[in-house]
Amino acid sequence: MLQVQNIEKVYGSKNNVTRALDRVSFEVADGEFLVIMGASGSGKTTLLNCISTIDTVSAGKILMDGVNVADLSEAALAKFRRERLGFVFQDFNLLDTLTVEENIGLALSLNHVDPKTVQTRVREIAGKLGITDILAKFPYQISGGQKQRTACARALVAGQSLLLADEPTGALDSRAAKNLLELLSLLNRDMGATILMVTHDAYSASYAGRVLFLKDGRVFNELLRGGRGRSVFYHEILDVLAALGGDVSDVL
Amino acid sequence: MTYCKLALRNARRQARDYLVYFVTMVLAAALLYSFNALAVSDEVQTLAARSANLSLMIALASLAVVCVFGWLAAYSTRFMLSRRGREFGLYLLSGLTNRQVARLFFLENVTVGAAALVLGAAFGGLLWQMLRAVVLAMFAQPYRFALEFSLPALGLTGLYFSLIYLLALGRNRKRIRKMKIYDLLCFDRQNEGTVLRTGKLRRLVFVLSLVLGVAGTCLLLRMDLYVALAGALCAILALFGFFLSFASGVPAFFDRRPARKYRGQNLLIFRGLTAKLASMGMLMAVLSVVFTATLISEGSSSVLYGIMKGRTAESACFDLYIGIEGERLDPGPYLSYIGENIPVERERLYPVCLTGKTQLQDYLEGAYYNNGYGSDPVLRWSDYAALRALAGYPAVEPPGPGQCLIHCMPYLAGPLGTYQEAILVGDSALSPGGLYTEHLSQSYGTANGRGYILVVPDEAAVGLPVHHLAYAAKTARPVTTEQVEALAGLASAERARQEDLSGYAFVLSKAYEEAEVAAQALMVCFPLYYLALALMSTAVTILTIRQLSEMERFRRQFALLHELGMDRREMARALGGQFALYYALPAVPAVLIAVSFIGHLAMMPEPGVMVGINSPAAIVITSLGVFFLIYAIYILLAYTSLKRNVLPK
């Protein structure tokens, strides 16, 4: 589905260059749950921004189903984002003025889906994510976990093929974080959602099928979960992070 | 950093962040300074000697303007306080006392006020010159640009500004002194809340507000003081009911129509609007009332000026005109006074006769407001030709054999232009042979007819009964006030001698009447416009401050929408829609109420007065034009700023 080929991202001018991404390459297959890990400043968010077409690469290619996103016009990029990508952010990014139902329906509305079917489709996804009871509430009336579920529903309701999550558990307590991660696993397993998540939390990463480690803008290591249990995979991630010498405090 | 430096830095930031407010306070100072300069100016005082109450009227208007701008300053400073509560809370956390924070806030605002006063006084100097040019033009005096500085006007403006800021800051100072750190930190979370909670009550209030709105407008149109007061009360209640129920009712409307909600940009537009109205429904209602008052002030000012101007243009078309009625019909005393005191270039003394029939009067029934002669009035051709020459109109062909001319006010040109029947004048039957509509002093009982007059060959007028004598003259110099008053004194003396008090002479002078109009306009219309400008700028500033204060929320919203794949054009459309609705809501009810009122007011005077640029339609269009011009400037500035800052690049 997604091919990232030798991408580079350079900030600054001649005498003061920062290389945020340095020849990064990897692929994401349909229905995969991939996590990108790394310490602060390793280039995780820059990579996610480039994939989500919010930012552009300095070199290399990002191919989505064989199409180079750099070749798309501004309008085509906007269309690409609303039809193909779903976003879940650390701080939820729900619109305060809309109810939960409207926040989810917004993604359909942006996709110019027939207004008559919006409500039905919103209720359908809300049922799957267990948020039917809070559809009429506003974001300030619900918990962090419920907000993140709402964000997930919005990210998937329009049939987006790739869900991009940026530290989705960052603003949640441990219980809500666990619930969310289980929900993401469920979406990946049962609904076939392709998920690309960025995190520096080993526990969150242990829910993925594959973990890529970034260090100083380069892919440092890769871990495949295979048939192993989540607990074993979690400890393997911790080992890699220890070798990486990254944010120990983040790991422990 | 010292205390004063901090205050100064904050004041600079405040002027930058709330530029619209600062600009309006500069405008406030400019308005106050220029009108004060007008009120205390010797030149204007001399010109408008007859408007003895000019200074009083401007002082009263200034007092109202001070209250209006005081409200703006009080609202804005309170709003800024709520937005900066966290910052002030941190000052308290850092160890400053409440008293010190209150003083800091006071100093900041006084600095901003002083800066606005200085800039406003400079700008007001130019505005004063503009007003001076208008006033001099009204009095037909030459204008020469002069950079004058009025110390009394500056003193008064300073005094008014002090009052504005004392009104505004007094309460906030007390509030800060009493506030706890927590209160300040959470000050920006305060909301108005939903006033009408249940759907049933909401619907009831909405329907009631519409009924009250229509009833109020109808009562306002009755033009009876007490009825109009009741109408104004109904209209105000209607506006409050409308905004409170509208804010709560829109979500309910869309909840029942989900398909409509998700169409196009509706979701973003209506939710943005309801979020706004939920927190500022009461304020919207107040602003709508203020807009209504603005338009009514503007419109009433134009109508009053139009009435004065229209009546004068018609009646005072000769340098000097005297209509002599009464038992003696003796022009002697007037002519001898004029001979001794007024240099005359040309003059004419002539009779205004009657046909003794009401042929045209009957024909015009309905279009014609009041004849007052009881018969069709007649003028001899020779007198008419002389009058045209005195008034400076081009010569016209005399009536042909068996014909007469008709001279009428423009509003009667339609019906009289199609009159074809022969008109009986004495023993002659004359057919209409031409129609003219220049001003000919035709709106008084002792004028050249009332609304219309027949112009007949001299021989046809022989033997007709005389209604009154008239004297018209072109003078070498404008007739002075003293001369007019002396002639009027002669008329009063003549009237006192008569047994029957019904008839007496009527004196009109072009210069005197025009000066009278200018003086009245200065005394009534200028203060009304002054007040309208203050009301308008205050209301639109508050609206704009509220809109621009949401910049950060808008920025976050559109950044998210950009990430979700909304293209820039759609975002601009959604922003434009939110903007248009936000500014339209308080203006639409105001326009509906005020247009009905102004239109009705402008149609009240007798026919023929409100014509041309003073016609009801023209006055309504002008009032709306001025209103929307100021509105558009603020909207454009706010929209450009918001679009530039909130839409992703």
Side-chain angles (χ1 to χ4, degrees):
Chain A
M1 170 185 270
L2 175 70
Q3 292 168 288
V4 176
Q5 297 177 348
N6 279 318
I7 63 165
E8 293 183 21
K9 180 68 188 178
V10 179
Y11 292 110
S13 54
K14 280 180 190 171
N15 301 326
N16 185 22
V17 171
T18 306
R19 197 171 287 276
L21 293 174
D22 188 6
R23 284 166 291 161
V24 173
S25 295
F26 63 91
E27 289 186 8
V28 181
D30 264 344
E32 192 180 357
F33 187 168
L34 174 71
V35 160
I36 294 170
M37 284 200 81
S40 297
S42 61
K44 307 183 298 281
T45 302
T46 306
L47 176 60
L48 196 73
N49 285 345
C50 290
I51 293 171
S52 63
T53 73
I54 295 167
D55 204 351
T56 53
V57 294
S58 306
K61 287 179 182 172
I62 296 172
L63 304 173
M64 191 80 178
D65 291 333
V67 177
N68 186 357
V69 294
D71 294 339
L72 299 175
S73 65
E74 195 196 330
L77 276 177
K79 189 170 185 287
F80 169 76
R81 278 199 298 274
R82 63 177 181 256
E83 288 179 355
R84 306 293 301 277
L85 306 180
F87 294 90
V88 178
F89 304 92
Q90 179 177 349
D91 49 2
F92 323 120
N93 267 2
L94 299 176
L95 292 180
D96 297 336
T97 51
L98 306 188
T99 61
V100 167
E101 182 183 323
E102 290 161 353
N103 263 292
I104 302 169
L106 178 67
L108 294 168
S109 177
L110 292 178
N111 272 301
H112 308 294
V113 170
D114 178 12
K116 289 174 191 158
T117 66
V118 170
Q119 207 170 31
T120 320
R121 287 176 65 176
V122 169
R123 286 179 189 277
E124 201 176 298
I125 190 97
K128 284 179 185 165
L129 270 66
I131 49 174
T132 308
D133 295 345
I134 57 163
L135 281 178
K137 294 191 173 177
F138 285 92
Y140 66 88
Q141 295 171 311
I142 59 177
S143 70
Q146 288 171 322
K147 283 181 192 169
Q148 211 54 304
R149 278 171 181 262
T150 305
C152 287
R154 184 182 63 192
L156 294 169
V157 71
Q160 296 95 325
S161 46
L162 178 60
L163 193 152
L164 300 171
D166 186 5
E167 303 278 10
T169 57
L172 302 179
D173 61 53
S174 56
R175 187 159 169 263
K178 187 168 180 283
N179 286 341
L180 178 75
L181 292 165
E182 278 167 4
L183 175 70
L184 288 176
S185 293
L186 186 84
L187 294 173
N188 173 244
R189 197 174 58 240
D190 296 351
M191 290 173 66
T194 309
I195 300 172
L196 175 59
M197 180 168 86
V198 160
T199 183
H200 60 234
D201 175 31
Y203 180 77
S204 299
S206 69
Y207 280 82
R210 183 161 61 113
V211 181
L212 278 181
F213 294 88
L214 280 188
K215 184 179 184 186
D216 300 330
R218 304 178 77 163
V219 176
F220 174 79
N221 204 344
E222 182 178 10
L223 266 185
L224 280 170
R225 182 166 164 183
R228 282 163 291 179
R230 204 178 53 74
S231 171
V232 176
F233 192 46
Y234 171 62
H235 284 100
E236 283 185 11
I237 293 168
L238 287 182
D239 291 342
V240 175
L241 285 175
L244 204 67
D247 295 350
V248 177
S249 58
D250 291 340
V251 175
L252 302 175
Chain B
M1 187 185 287
T2 65
Y3 198 68
C4 284
K5 270 188 183 168
L6 183 63
L8 199 64
R9 182 174 290 185
N10 285 345
R12 265 206 304 269
R13 196 184 64 190
Q14 191 195 103
R16 196 181 56 239
D17 292 352
Y18 294 93
L19 187 64
V20 175
Y21 165 66
F22 181 66
V23 168
T24 305
M25 291 318 286
V26 171
L27 180 70
L31 275 175
L32 284 166
Y33 176 81
S34 54
F35 275 88
N36 285 328
L38 187 77
V40 298
S41 152
D42 290 339
E43 185 181 40
V44 174
Q45 292 280 4
T46 311
L47 281 174
R50 269 168 288 168
S51 18
N53 295 326
L54 173 67
S55 299
L56 177 69
M57 289 300 284
I58 289 189
L60 283 174
S62 292
L63 203 65
V65 167
V66 165
C67 292
V68 172
F69 283 123
W71 175 53
L72 169 67
Y75 180 84
S76 305
T77 46
R78 189 181 187 280
F79 185 70
M80 283 180 232
L81 178 62
S82 74
R83 290 279 151 166
R84 293 175 58 201
R86 190 171 290 272
E87 178 193 333
F88 290 128
L90 288 175
Y91 288 148
L92 290 181
L93 274 176
S94 311
L96 288 181
T97 62
N98 281 54
R99 187 177 285 271
Q100 283 174 313
V101 173
R103 222 179 101 209
L104 183 73
F105 189 64
F106 183 79
L107 273 177
E108 279 175 41
N109 281 286
V110 166
T111 310
V112 170
L117 179 62
V118 171
L119 280 172
F123 177 54
L126 295 175
L127 194 62
W128 153 229
Q129 286 307 313
M130 282 168 63
L131 287 176
R132 210 179 129 239
V134 172
V135 170
L136 289 174
M138 283 166 65
F139 284 94
Q141 298 290 314
Y143 166 75
R144 193 180 298 153
F145 181 80
L147 265 181
E148 291 171 27
F149 182 75
S150 169
L151 202 59
L154 186 68
L156 273 173
T157 310
L159 176 72
Y160 291 146
F161 242 61
S162 309
L163 276 173
I164 287 173
Y165 274 91
L166 281 177
L167 270 173
L169 295 175
R171 262 182 80 192
N172 283 327
R173 209 172 165 186
K174 266 187 204 159
R175 186 176 287 130
I176 297 176
R177 280 186 183 179
K178 284 181 185 167
M179 265 182 164
K180 297 186 181 93
I181 295 177
Y182 177 82
D183 296 335
L184 274 169
L185 290 174
C186 301
F187 202 29
D188 58 345
R189 292 186 199 165
Q190 290 174 6
N191 242 348
E192 229 181 64
T194 309
V195 179
L196 305 171
R197 291 189 184 280
T198 67
K200 204 173 169 186
L201 182 63
R202 220 157 39 204
R203 278 194 294 277
L204 184 72
V205 171
F206 188 74
V207 173
L208 202 65
S209 71
L210 292 183
V211 172
L212 272 176
V214 174
T217 309
C218 292
L219 292 177
L220 273 173
L221 300 184
R222 293 289 298 276
M223 294 300 158
D224 175 288
L225 181 64
Y226 295 108
V227 177
L229 279 176
L233 187 68
C234 286
I236 290 170
L237 286 175
L239 287 173
F240 277 90
F242 176 77
F243 280 105
L244 293 177
S245 56
F246 188 79
S248 320
V250 173
F253 173 83
F254 277 106
D255 282 346
R256 285 196 299 276
R257 297 162 184 83
R260 198 170 289 184
K261 179 164 71 175
Y262 290 107
R263 190 173 300 146
Q265 276 83 42
N266 283 0
L267 181 63
L268 291 170
I269 293 173
F270 100 83
R271 270 303 182 193
L273 180 73
T274 49
K276 271 258 166 40
L277 284 180
S279 63
M280 54 183 289
M282 289 290 272
L283 180 67
M284 278 286 197
V286 172
L287 294 181
S288 201
V289 171
V290 173
F291 281 148
T292 312
T294 301
L295 277 165
I296 286 180
S297 288
E298 260 184 44
S300 306
S301 170
S302 300
V303 170
L304 289 174
Y305 185 67
I307 292 173
M308 292 187 275
K309 194 84 183 161
R311 283 181 179 161
T312 304
E314 170 54 35
S315 61
C317 54
F318 301 106
D319 290 347
L320 180 62
Y321 177 90
I322 307 173
I324 305 157
E325 207 181 16
E327 290 166 359
R328 294 204 303 167
L329 279 184
D330 178 14
Y334 308 106
L335 294 180
S336 61
Y337 176 84
I338 292 166
E340 288 165 17
N341 298 286
I342 303 174
V344 169
E345 284 182 3
R346 273 181 290 175
E347 61 189 346
R348 185 86 178 180
L349 180 68
Y350 57 96
V352 173
C353 305
L354 300 171
T355 63
K357 301 172 184 68
T358 57
Q359 195 173 339
L360 284 181
Q361 187 182 323
D362 295 343
Y363 170 71
L364 288 171
E365 200 175 357
Y368 190 41
Y369 72 97
N370 177 20
N371 182 295
Y373 286 82
S375 164
D376 294 333
V378 173
L379 205 58
R380 291 185 306 215
W381 157 253
S382 57
D383 295 330
Y384 178 66
L387 286 179
R388 289 190 69 90
L390 283 175
Y393 302 144
V396 294
E397 288 294 315
Q403 282 189 328
C404 66
L405 306 179
I406 298 174
H407 193 109
C408 65
M409 287 167 76
Y411 79 99
L412 292 177
L416 287 176
T418 56
Y419 192 76
Q420 297 294 329
E421 287 176 33
I423 301 166
L424 292 173
V425 179
D427 300 329
S428 318
L430 305 173
S431 60
L435 185 132
Y436 301 94
T437 59
E438 296 96 337
H439 295 312
L440 199 72
S441 194
Q442 293 191 291
S443 48
Y444 291 93
T446 48
N448 296 314
R450 198 158 189 174
Y452 70 90
I453 197 159
L454 292 166
V455 180
V456 302
D458 288 11
E459 58 276 15
V462 174
L464 291 179
V466 174
H467 180 266
H468 64 271
L469 284 181
Y471 169 86
K474 181 171 171 54
T475 56
R477 286 190 299 275
V479 181
T480 64
T481 304
E482 291 73 26
Q483 290 165 343
V484 172
E485 283 170 357
L487 286 168
L490 292 176
S492 299
E494 179 64 20
R495 188 184 184 202
R497 269 200 298 274
Q498 291 180 179
E499 283 176 14
D500 175 9
L501 296 180
S502 64
Y504 61 100
F506 193 83
V507 182
L508 282 169
S509 139
K510 187 189 243 175
Y512 181 89
E513 293 302 317
E514 284 177 352
E516 189 71 22
V517 169
Q520 293 300 323
L522 204 58
M523 206 170 75
V524 181
C525 305
F526 268 49
L528 278 174
Y529 243 93
Y530 176 30
L531 186 62
L533 281 175
L535 288 169
M536 177 74 202
S537 51
T538 294
V540 74
T541 301
I542 289 176
L543 264 183
T544 305
I545 287 175
R546 287 298 295 251
Q547 182 74 334
L548 292 182
S549 68
E550 301 279 313
M551 189 106 71
E552 196 45 47
R553 192 179 66 76
F554 273 117
R555 192 181 289 138
R556 279 202 308 273
Q557 174 184 311
F558 284 106
L560 172 67
L561 292 170
H562 176 61
E563 287 182 356
L564 293 180
M566 192 177 200
D567 70 32
R568 208 169 185 278
R569 207 180 53 227
E570 282 182 316
M571 281 190 257
R573 213 178 296 153
L575 182 67
Q578 284 185 358
F579 226 82
L581 261 181
Y582 174 74
Y583 278 98
L585 264 178
V588 168
V591 167
L592 290 176
I593 295 173
V595 163
S596 321
F597 180 83
I598 298 167
H600 191 77
L601 191 68
M603 281 187 275
M604 282 186 71
E606 64 276 15
V609 172
M610 306 302 281
V611 291
I613 57 162
N614 294 321
S615 66
I619 284 178
V620 166
I621 290 169
T622 313
S623 303
L624 290 180
V626 173
F627 178 87
F628 281 113
L629 179 71
I630 299 172
Y631 211 34
I633 291 171
Y634 276 89
I635 293 174
L636 202 67
L637 287 176
Y639 182 67
T640 316
S641 160
L642 205 63
K643 195 176 169 190
R644 195 177 55 239
N645 285 300
V646 306
L647 291 190
K649 300 282 181 298

